[in-house]
Each structure stands twice: as structure tokens, then as C-alpha cells.
Amino acid sequence: MDMELQRIVMEGYRPVSQGMFSQEETLESIVPDACPDISRIVSAVGKVFLKDKELGEGTLRLSGTARVSVLYIPEGEGAPQSMEVSIPFQCIRDDPLFHAGCPVQATVQAASADARTINPRKILVRVNLAVWAAAYRQERRELSSDVNCGAEAGMEKLFTSCKCSMIPEVMEKVFTFSDVLRPPASKPEAEELLLYRAELGAMDAKFIGKKLVLKGDVQLVVLYRSGEELTSVRFELPYSQIMDIGMLSDEGEPEAVVTLKSVDCHLRDGELEVTLEALAQAAMWVRQPITMLSDAYCLKQPVDVERAPERLWTLAEHSGRREAARKLCESGIPAKQVLDCAVTVVSVASAPVEGGVEFTAQTSVSILYLSEDDAMCGVNVDIPVSCRVELPAGCNCSCVCRPMGEATAVPVTGGLEVRFEAEFAWTALREEQVNCVTDLKPGTIQEMGVRPSVVIRRMERGEALWDIAKSCGATVEDICSANGLESGEAQEGALLLIPARRC
């Protein structure tokens, strides 16, 4: 008897490592000749731009530049000045699951930054980098879906159907956009730009045909001086990008992240000229229905069947939720007016709870404000934010978090009240093992005695009707017909009549 297995091919990527880590960078810097001596440092604001990412055997390398804007009060003056220090960085992460040539997604942010004076012409700058990285590995598997042997061969087959989740494609795209901005009419005209920072706002990703459309915005916050007055303004810079995917329909679920590669902002004739370069990174989840040949036997002749367990992943949940955070930040110097409030996610941890998991994001909040006597001051506070999620048991879950919208700090008795929202986005995968036939070949024919026309068999714990039919050389349909089992199932301990199959 000729037997040939039919195969289905599953090809795509799966995440092998994902998480956050931190790294600190320091640099001593000389105050430029054009800047006056430093009397007091008010605050430091960090901006981090990712340049390159490389995945080798067991090692991930990320490189880029951290640019720290230092606000300070010059000696003998009351008006603040600013200087910018650039710190090149290289983040190295070791993991045995990393493999050369595999795609990797990454973002790097400044979790915190500070500066202190060594002398009036020299400062020590420090920036704490918060790095998120996800690595993917390409896989190709051939699974048996059926066996060709003809209906007359008497082959009984057991099929298992399931929806397997996979990532057919991991992709990225660099894009640039620019704009010319003017402060609102209610704000004074900008004369000197002191600092700026860009933070990514809300983003929407959806499939339209064979394209992935990303729409979002970048929130640009600038602090400038007009005469003796300090003013902060927030601008919204929208963007829209299309990524060709080719392999998918509109039934996929995208995981997309955007990180900044560079931001250039300078003042010219009262207008702000802004140019941004960003990197869009996306992985697409698809639920693919598959039917595998899990077992087989022949009623007419012996057949040797080889089986092996296959690990399949199912996307149990891909969702997100925003959580509000609120905390009183004590300040040594009472505040009159808040100029800027920035939030950065430093890390995300998870802990199992009854019915699911609880994510906790550690955030760092940096506040710049004016005191009652108009002195510029800065203060930092760490605020944890939690999100409890109900998930099916046995899921492997990953989560990312980022601040959303505008963070606010309001002067109150005893300090500043900070409020902001954090968006948690999680992916829950459930792993299951399903037996799959790997090979079929004719077995050895053995002499057998006369078989009775009916066999009585007890249903043991953990057995299925398929197991009994296979061991007795019958079919599930014959057993159900002989025992009146309309549902196709029998209870444990039941006595079953097993009719002999007349081939």
C-alpha cells in the first residue's frame, strides 16, 4: 500500500526575548567660551536618539546619542542660560536567545538626567537610559495535514484543528517630517530658545488591504525667553506613514512602536523650525487556522506510525488600557508657576495575581517651576503605576508602557500635585503541544488467531474512543453505533461493546 503524507508549511517569526533594562552614562563637559560661568544648576533635560541596532550571537548592541540640555543661573545674573551636552552611548545586552541576523525592535529614552558643577567652567552630566528591546527568530516548520492512500486502504485518521498565531513579517521604516511653528497669539514672541523636548503621543495602527497605516503625533515642548519672561508652549506635530506588508490581509493584529532618531529645533525670526527623523517598527500577528494529522492506523494491515509533539502558540489576548496616576511631590521651595512636567517610564514588572497578572510601571517625573520670588527650580519624583489584567491561566504575557497625553503639575500646599496617564499594552500567548504524525510506513504482518465478533472493553481514565478503536482494530463510528453513543463520547468506567471490523 502506497502512503504519502501531505504537508503544510508554517513560516514566520516568534518573539524570543522582550523586556526593559537601564544603563547610565556620564560625561564631564567644559562650559563653552560663549557661555558665562555657572553659579547654580537648575535642571537637566535629556533627549535620547537611537542611531543603530545590531543583533549578534547572544548579544544586542544599540548605539546613539543622548543630548542633555542643562539650565543654569550664571554668576552675577538672574536670568537662566542653557547649554547642551552630547553623550554618545552604546548599550549591550547579552541573552543566549539572541541570534545574528534576526530582526530586533528597540526604543531608548532618557529616564532621568542631572548635572552638577565641578567648577564654574566645568560640569558632570549624567543620564539614565531606559531601553526596551524585542528580538524575533525566524522559523519554518512542515506539519502533516493528511495521508494519501485511497479510501479502499481502510486507513483511519485523527485530525486536530486549531488556530495557531504567528508573525509572518517584522518590518521597519525610517521617515522624516518637518514644520515651522509660531507660538500662539496669547503667548509672547520667542526671543531665545532655552530647551526643547519631543515625546511621542498617541498612535493608531491598522491594516488597509496589503498596507499597514500608522497615524500619530509628536508632542514638542519648548521653553523660551521673551525679555525677562519665561514661557513654555506645547505643539502637536501629526504624522502618517504607510508600510507595505504584502503577505497579510486586514485580519492581522499589529504591534507597532515608533522611536525618534533625531530632532532638530532652532529659533529663526520668532519662528521655530523643527525637523524630526523617526523609526517605525512593526510586527504583525496573524491567527492561522490549521488542521494536523495527529494519528492514524489501518484496518487492513499493520502500519507503523511515528508521532512527535509540536509546540503551537495561540494569541490569547492583545489589548491595552490607560491608568491614571496622581501623587503629591514635596518641594523644598514653594512653587508659583509650573513651566514643564515630563514623565518617562523606567521599567515594567509583572506579578501573578488571582485570575490574571498585575503590571507595575516605574515612572520618573521631572518638574521645572518658578518659585514665589521667580527663581527657577527643578524637582524629580518617582511614581509607580499599576494595571491589573484578567488573563486565561497558563499564558505567557509581555507588556510595554508609555505615558500618554500631557502630564500636569499644580502648586498645592506642601509641594506639587502631579497627574498623568500611562498606557499599558500587553500581548498574552498560550502554548499548547499537539501530537503530529511525522512518518508512516507498512508494519510487520503477524499471524493472529480467530478474533471474536464482539469484545467488551471498559473505558479507563484518560482514554478517548479513538484510543480504544485503534487498540481493538475498530472504528469510532462502529463503537458509537454499537453502544448508542450519539455524542461520540463515553464516560469513564463505561463498558463498551467493540464490534469486529469485517474488511
Side-chain angles (χ1 to χ4, degrees):
M1 178 176 62
D2 293 331
M3 295 178 292
E4 181 182 0
L5 288 173
Q6 295 181 7
R7 307 280 188 176
I8 54 174
V9 178
M10 293 187 60
E11 198 167 9
Y13 298 87
R14 71 177 181 91
V16 294
S17 179
Q18 179 172 310
M20 294 189 71
F21 62 95
S22 61
Q23 181 170 312
E24 184 178 276
E25 298 288 341
T26 60
L27 181 70
E28 291 185 359
S29 180
I30 302 296
V31 178
D33 293 337
C35 296
D37 290 352
I38 295 177
S39 172
R40 176 175 67 90
I41 291 178
V42 177
S43 69
V45 177
K47 303 180 287 288
V48 181
F49 304 114
L50 179 63
K51 181 181 179 182
D52 294 313
K53 51 182 181 175
E54 179 185 355
L55 195 63
E57 289 298 328
T59 302
L60 169 66
R61 289 181 174 86
L62 305 175
S63 61
T65 303
R67 288 155 55 181
V68 181
S69 297
V70 181
L71 281 176
Y72 69 94
I73 305 298
E75 288 187 350
E77 300 181 26
Q81 296 279 339
S82 67
M83 60 176 287
E84 189 169 84
V85 178
S86 294
I87 306 176
F89 68 83
Q90 185 178 74
C91 298
I92 299 177
R93 184 74 165 177
D94 294 328
D95 191 319
L97 297 176
F98 292 155
H99 293 281
C102 291
V104 60
Q105 297 180 345
T107 63
V108 188
Q109 299 181 72
S112 62
D114 62 74
R116 65 179 180 87
T117 55
I118 299 175
N119 58 56
R121 302 299 303 175
K122 191 175 185 180
I123 62 174
L124 176 66
V125 180
R126 180 177 61 182
V127 60
N128 186 30
L129 307 178
V131 183
W132 172 86
Y136 301 84
R137 185 169 64 196
Q138 190 171 23
E139 291 185 343
R140 186 182 188 277
R141 289 190 288 176
E142 291 188 359
L143 306 176
S144 301
S145 60
D146 203 350
V147 57
N148 293 328
C149 58
E152 70 281 357
M155 185 73 70
E156 292 295 304
K157 310 170 190 177
L158 178 65
F159 297 98
T160 300
S161 298
C162 58
K163 279 194 174 182
C164 179
S165 299
M166 58 180 296
I167 301 176
E169 197 166 356
V170 180
M171 55 197 305
E172 61 182 45
K173 179 183 179 181
V174 177
F175 63 96
T176 303
F177 60 105
S178 59
D179 205 346
V180 177
L181 310 170
R182 290 194 64 87
S186 59
K187 301 287 186 178
E189 184 175 350
E191 296 179 3
E192 181 184 357
L193 181 62
L194 293 178
L195 65 83
Y196 64 90
R197 59 178 177 85
E199 52 189 43
L200 295 162
M203 182 185 64
D204 181 48
K206 64 175 61 176
F207 292 117
I208 300 180
K210 297 294 184 180
K211 299 183 184 295
L212 176 65
V213 179
L214 302 179
K215 290 186 177 181
D217 62 76
V218 175
Q219 303 287 322
L220 179 69
V221 180
V222 299
L223 177 67
Y224 63 87
R225 185 165 57 198
S226 179
E228 297 298 322
E229 184 178 355
L230 297 176
T231 303
S232 62
V233 181
R234 176 182 287 263
F235 298 96
E236 183 177 294
L237 306 177
Y239 64 83
S240 178
Q241 289 295 309
I242 297 177
M243 304 176 75
D244 294 317
I245 50 180
M247 298 176 61
L248 303 178
S249 65
D250 57 1
E251 298 179 354
E253 295 186 45
E255 284 185 341
V257 61
V258 175
T259 187
L260 294 174
K261 292 179 70 68
S262 68
V263 177
D264 181 42
C265 180
H266 59 272
L267 189 63
R268 179 179 296 177
D269 299 329
E271 295 181 328
L272 291 165
E273 297 181 351
V274 185
T275 301
L276 302 96
E277 184 182 24
L279 173 65
Q281 306 163 93
M284 280 66 72
W285 283 100
V286 172
R287 291 183 174 93
Q288 178 178 341
I290 61 172
T291 299
M292 293 188 299
L293 180 64
S294 296
D295 200 0
Y297 63 94
C298 186
L299 298 170
K300 292 187 175 182
Q301 69 177 62
V303 173
D304 292 335
V305 180
E306 294 183 9
R307 301 191 301 164
E310 290 287 345
R311 296 174 59 194
L312 301 178
W313 293 93
T314 302
L315 186 61
E317 186 170 336
H318 176 57
S319 187
R321 188 169 69 235
R322 292 190 182 187
E323 297 288 350
R326 176 180 177 182
K327 185 176 181 178
L328 175 64
C329 172
E330 297 181 359
S331 58
I333 302 175
K336 179 182 71 173
Q337 177 188 353
V338 174
L339 299 173
D340 187 32
C341 181
V343 181
T344 305
V345 175
V346 179
S347 63
V348 179
S350 62
V353 295
E354 184 177 357
V357 64
E358 184 174 66
F359 302 110
T360 301
Q362 296 294 336
T363 69
S364 176
V365 182
S366 177
I367 306 168
L368 190 64
Y369 67 93
L370 295 177
S371 65
E372 295 292 343
D373 57 358
D374 289 330
M376 184 178 285
C377 304
V379 65
N380 296 298
V381 61
D382 295 330
I383 302 178
V385 187
S386 295
C387 177
R388 179 169 291 200
V389 179
E390 293 184 0
L391 291 175
C395 286
N396 180 16
C397 194
S398 62
C399 179
V400 295
C401 179
R402 62 192 183 107
M404 294 298 298
E406 183 177 359
T408 61
V410 180
V412 296
T413 303
L416 297 153
E417 185 181 69
V418 179
R419 294 188 183 189
F420 64 91
E421 285 189 330
E423 181 182 64
F424 292 82
W426 59 87
T427 300
L429 298 175
R430 183 173 56 249
E431 180 187 357
E432 60 179 328
Q433 289 195 354
V434 180
N435 284 326
C436 183
V437 174
T438 58
D439 193 18
L440 282 174
K441 53 188 177 182
T444 303
I445 299 178
Q446 298 180 352
E447 294 291 334
M448 298 180 64
V450 179
R451 181 183 172 186
S453 59
V454 176
V455 174
I456 298 178
R457 177 79 147 71
R458 184 182 298 276
M459 187 82 170
E460 302 295 341
R461 179 187 296 270
E463 275 190 322
L465 287 181
W466 170 269
D467 302 320
I468 295 176
K470 181 179 179 180
S471 65
C472 296
T475 69
V476 173
E477 291 76 9
D478 289 344
I479 296 176
C480 289
S481 176
N483 294 273
L485 301 175
E486 296 181 359
S487 65
E489 297 180 355
Q491 295 183 350
E492 177 188 336
L495 290 176
L496 301 175
L497 298 177
I498 314 297
R501 164 64 63 150
R502 303 295 183 186
C503 297

